[in-house]
Amino acid sequence: MNRRWELDLLRGFMLVMMFTTHLPTRFSDKLGQPFGYVSAAEGFVMLSAFMAGLIYTGRAQKAGIPAMKKAFFRRVTTVYACHATLLLFLFSAIAMLGLKLDQPALTNLIGFYLSDPWAALPGALLLIYNPPLLDILPLYILLLFASPFVLAFAMQRGWTGIFVISVALWACGQFPLSQGLYEMLAQHTGLRVPFSETGSFETLSWQFLWLFGLWMGAATAQGRLDHRKPFPRALVVGAFLVVLIGLVWRHTAGQIPVPGDAESLINHLFDKWRLGPLRMLNLFALLVVIMHIGPRLSERLPRIGFLEKLGSASLPVFCMHLVVVLAALSIAGEYRPGRPLLLDVLMMAAGLAALYATALVTLYLDREEQQRMLAARKEQELKRAGRRQATAAGAAKSDLPT
């Protein structure tokens, strides 16, 4: 499958947004959620799901559903290996560095591990204990693991039943249902990981966003979105208004819609971790706007190689962004007013350089691997052709009169 450069560019842009938001500098608050009450995490999850639906539906059409499932599980294994490596890096080198330099930002981040390592380490490897910053990959792993079964069902029976269940689960995710179920499970199994340490992302809510992206990718692979009708004018105008309101509100009030009132109903409706209804409205309005202007915009959009390369190597770049952010937290700590501007600029520049270097190395290794596979395939074809010629020569010789 030929790469779609505009999708790589979008993924690269979202990776940069996540990095600048997570890196502890004076820029993180200003660059967080720059387009309204929508963060890079939502866009990255939806786009990752779209790519999965696009690629693996094509695999199923070409080689069958069993081959699609096998490819999915290989990807799950790769992502899990990356997550486990990051955990071990955090619990060893980063933890020692943070303790030695006495950085509260880092020690608070892994407070449960420091207090109960024998429960934290196996809990983390089982995707139960998920420290901040390292809680999106476990969500990705779980959703990726379920995806081949969802795609196989959808290809045979359609998406209607899947979305009915998905919307119901999203609605359940707006309430503390997960916490109640988890605490009941912990009570009967003796789990020592508190619910507050299982990660910020509410799986019941975020599965809907993943399934929506998966459906869009599958529909694109099957050609069902190639001749999509334009959105109604009223929908486009309404979406532009919602996006404009969210944009002005975010940059007037800040990243929290009603600052100083954590229990405000409005804040719950915009909640990121549960994907509250108003947040979903803002997100889908932005999606309608992007889909409306996207085709014309992509014709005029400049090719930004830096972002495209980051997007082409998204998993290694995402992992490197976490390595850089964790190292910054353990060495420099959280941002405090008075820190020299030059230091923040240097941290940002060095981090972006590390992400770009990771992308270049990854793409180089991928090309080398593809060339080795191509050479091995050609060698096998030559051997098969030689065996066929030998068989044909032997048959011809046996047909000669004696």
Side-chain angles (χ1 to χ4, degrees):
M1 176 186 140
N2 294 327
R3 297 201 69 92
R4 299 177 60 168
W5 67 268
E6 66 276 16
L7 297 181
D8 285 335
L9 187 145
L10 273 175
R11 287 203 293 183
F13 177 66
M14 290 172 192
L15 284 164
V16 170
M17 282 181 61
M18 283 191 281
F19 173 70
T20 54
T21 301
H22 292 155
L23 193 70
T25 67
R26 70 188 70 223
F27 310 115
S28 60
D29 184 66
K30 296 179 178 61
L31 296 176
Q33 302 186 144
F35 303 112
Y37 290 104
V38 178
S39 71
E42 290 96 313
F44 194 76
V45 166
M46 186 184 290
L47 192 52
S48 297
F50 176 88
M51 295 296 291
L54 180 67
I55 293 169
Y56 293 109
T57 298
R59 179 69 60 88
Q61 291 172 326
K62 183 182 295 185
I65 289 176
M68 177 265 286
K69 289 183 177 180
K70 187 176 179 180
F72 252 120
F73 295 143
R74 279 200 302 268
R75 183 63 174 172
V76 170
T77 302
T78 300
V79 178
Y80 179 82
C82 292
H83 179 61
T85 303
L86 285 169
L87 285 171
L88 295 176
F89 174 69
L90 171 62
F91 294 155
S92 56
I94 292 296
M96 287 189 292
L97 191 59
L99 288 171
K100 184 175 182 179
L101 298 178
D102 191 23
Q103 290 291 359
L106 195 281
T107 53
N108 291 339
L109 186 141
I110 56 171
F112 178 67
Y113 170 74
L114 295 176
S115 65
D116 193 352
W118 297 112
L121 182 57
L125 294 175
L126 290 172
L127 309 182
I128 299 171
Y129 167 47
N130 300 307
L133 297 178
L134 271 74
D135 52 358
I136 193 169
L137 280 183
L139 173 72
Y140 183 35
I141 291 166
L142 293 174
L143 295 174
L144 202 59
F145 182 81
S147 294
F149 304 104
V150 172
L151 275 181
F153 183 92
M155 292 177 74
Q156 296 167 349
R157 302 186 185 182
W159 287 88
T160 303
I162 293 171
F163 274 114
V164 168
I165 295 172
S166 182
V167 171
L169 290 175
W170 171 81
C172 290
Q174 304 309 303
F175 304 94
L177 177 64
S178 294
Q179 182 173 356
L181 292 174
Y182 180 84
E183 289 175 352
M184 188 184 304
L185 177 66
Q187 184 178 0
H188 288 86
T189 60
L191 277 173
R192 301 209 305 268
V193 180
F195 180 77
S196 59
E197 299 292 345
T198 59
S200 300
F201 293 90
E202 172 56 69
T203 306
L204 292 180
S205 299
W206 282 76
Q207 56 76 31
F208 172 73
L209 199 58
W210 176 271
L211 287 176
F212 183 82
L214 198 68
W215 165 74
M216 287 190 68
T220 301
Q222 293 166 341
R224 289 187 281 126
L225 295 184
D226 289 346
H227 305 290
R228 177 181 61 83
K229 293 181 180 179
F231 292 122
R233 182 178 178 83
L235 177 63
V236 174
V237 172
F240 269 102
L241 284 174
V242 170
V243 169
L244 181 61
I245 291 170
L247 186 66
V248 173
W249 192 349
R250 182 267 177 262
H251 289 285
T252 302
Q255 293 204 52
I256 300 175
V258 183
D261 186 1
E263 298 304 318
S264 166
L265 176 61
I266 297 295
N267 287 341
H268 283 290
L269 294 176
F270 275 109
D271 188 74
K272 173 181 177 177
W273 311 118
R274 296 181 184 277
L275 289 179
L278 291 183
R279 192 176 192 89
M280 294 293 280
L281 177 65
N282 197 169
L283 172 63
F284 280 100
L286 188 59
L287 181 62
V288 168
V289 170
I290 291 172
M291 292 180 69
H292 178 69
I293 66 175
R296 284 169 290 178
L297 187 62
S298 63
E299 295 174 359
R300 300 172 176 82
L301 204 63
R303 298 287 295 268
I304 306 175
F306 172 76
L307 294 179
E308 285 184 45
K309 285 183 172 62
L310 294 186
S312 299
S314 57
L315 180 59
V317 170
F318 179 85
C319 294
M320 178 54 70
H321 120 267
L322 289 177
V323 169
V324 173
V325 169
L326 291 172
L329 284 171
S330 63
I331 298 171
E334 291 181 328
Y335 169 73
R336 293 183 180 84
R339 178 193 287 175
L341 172 63
L342 180 60
L343 179 58
D344 283 353
V345 171
L346 289 175
M347 286 172 59
M348 187 76 73
L352 290 174
L355 300 191
Y356 189 57
T358 300
L360 291 179
V361 171
T362 300
L363 294 176
Y364 171 78
L365 294 175
D366 285 347
R367 283 194 300 270
E368 291 291 306
E369 180 63 22
Q370 289 173 3
Q371 289 175 0
R372 283 196 295 269
M373 291 174 61
L374 183 60
R377 193 176 299 122
K378 286 182 177 179
E379 185 177 353
Q380 290 176 354
E381 289 174 357
L382 288 173
K383 287 180 179 179
R384 283 196 293 268
R387 285 195 295 268
R388 285 196 297 268
Q389 289 177 355
T391 301
K397 185 176 181 180
S398 63
D399 288 339
L400 292 175
T402 57

